[in-house]
Amino acid sequence: GINAEYGYAPAPAAAPQYSGDGNQSFYSSGASFYDPSTNMGSMGAAPTAQTTSSSFEDEPPLMEELGIDLTQIYQTTMTVLNPNKPAATNLMDDPDLSGPLMFCLGFGSLLLLSGKIHFGYIYGVALIGAASMYTLLNLMSVNGVSASITVSVLGYCMLPMCLLAAVAALLSLNGLFGIMLSIVTVSWAAFASSKLFVSVLAMYDQQPLVAYPCALMYGIFAVLTVF
């Protein structure tokens, strides 16, 4: 009553005194989330460098996560480059689409060197050709073929057309030389693709029938390259 009458404010309460080690009092008060002496925190033990490195070692390679098999790409490419080499029957057990996509992009990029922008035509013809071959092969074969195998085989056999586009970027193919080279590359691509198809479907006596529609599709790519 006297303090209020004369305007004196009451003295603030004294702060509580902590005894013992300051770090211990700080951790015991619950204000900390991590104790370096025990390597423990509110969410459990902190990850160590050893556990982090072991988790990275258990991760699969990047190519495997992306579904890219470099060994299969190499084997299939060598089969296309050497038409006389017999194709393995299990080559298309796990069809790869990264290789065909790479060859289609390479074909369009090589045509750019000749001043031809035909990416829309390339993917349009490839889509229609793959759908036609898928329908035709399922009608001709007993076991049938999947769409992924059809796209994979036709895409890998774009490699001869890439070589033709590379020559067209350096030389003019409007004359007799261009026509003869186009016939060779189309025949090469048609023979390689039909060989892969008949090896997968066991249709060895029908390879000419399979090669003919393949030659029609690759002939359109040759026309895009030459003209």
Side-chain angles (χ1 to χ4, degrees):
I2 299 174
N3 293 335
E5 182 180 355
Y6 291 97
Y8 295 116
Q17 299 293 328
Y18 295 101
S19 60
D21 185 18
N23 292 333
Q24 183 179 0
S25 301
F26 183 71
Y27 293 125
S28 62
S29 64
S32 174
F33 293 91
Y34 175 68
D35 186 355
S37 63
T38 60
N39 196 31
M40 295 288 291
S42 59
M43 298 300 292
T48 60
Q50 183 178 1
T51 58
T52 305
S53 60
S54 62
S55 63
F56 279 116
E57 291 176 358
D58 296 337
E59 291 290 331
L62 178 60
M63 291 297 182
E64 184 178 345
E65 288 186 352
L66 296 176
I68 300 175
D69 189 354
L70 296 179
T71 303
Q72 183 180 8
I73 292 176
Y74 174 78
Q75 292 177 352
T76 311
T77 303
M78 290 297 102
T79 303
V80 174
L81 288 175
N82 186 9
N84 294 325
K85 178 182 177 181
T89 56
N90 60 346
L91 191 61
M92 287 296 165
D93 289 346
D94 185 16
D96 171 65
L97 299 180
S98 56
L101 180 62
M102 178 180 63
F103 288 135
C104 288
L105 289 175
F107 180 66
S109 300
L110 289 171
L111 289 181
L112 281 178
L113 299 178
S114 302
K116 302 173 182 177
I117 305 176
H118 292 327
F119 285 99
Y121 292 108
I122 293 172
Y123 287 107
V125 172
L127 181 62
I128 296 175
S132 302
M133 286 300 303
Y134 171 75
T135 304
L136 181 63
L137 290 173
N138 280 286
L139 292 175
M140 294 176 60
S141 63
V142 177
N143 299 326
V145 64
S146 63
S148 57
I149 292 179
T150 306
V151 174
S152 182
V153 170
L154 294 176
Y156 271 108
C157 293
M158 284 291 295
L159 180 58
M161 310 313 300
C162 292
L163 298 178
L164 179 64
V167 175
L170 301 175
L171 303 173
S172 176
L173 300 181
N174 292 327
L176 180 62
F177 171 74
I179 296 176
M180 297 302 297
L181 185 61
S182 300
I183 293 175
V184 171
T185 53
V186 169
S187 302
W188 179 5
F191 181 78
S193 58
S194 62
K195 181 184 66 173
L196 289 173
F197 279 131
V198 299
S199 64
V200 172
L201 300 173
M203 299 166 51
Y204 299 101
D205 55 340
Q206 301 181 13
Q207 184 172 359
L209 296 178
V210 177
Y212 176 70
C214 294
L216 293 179
M217 189 191 75
Y218 293 118
I220 298 176
F221 289 126
V223 171
L224 293 176
T225 304
V226 175
F227 303 102

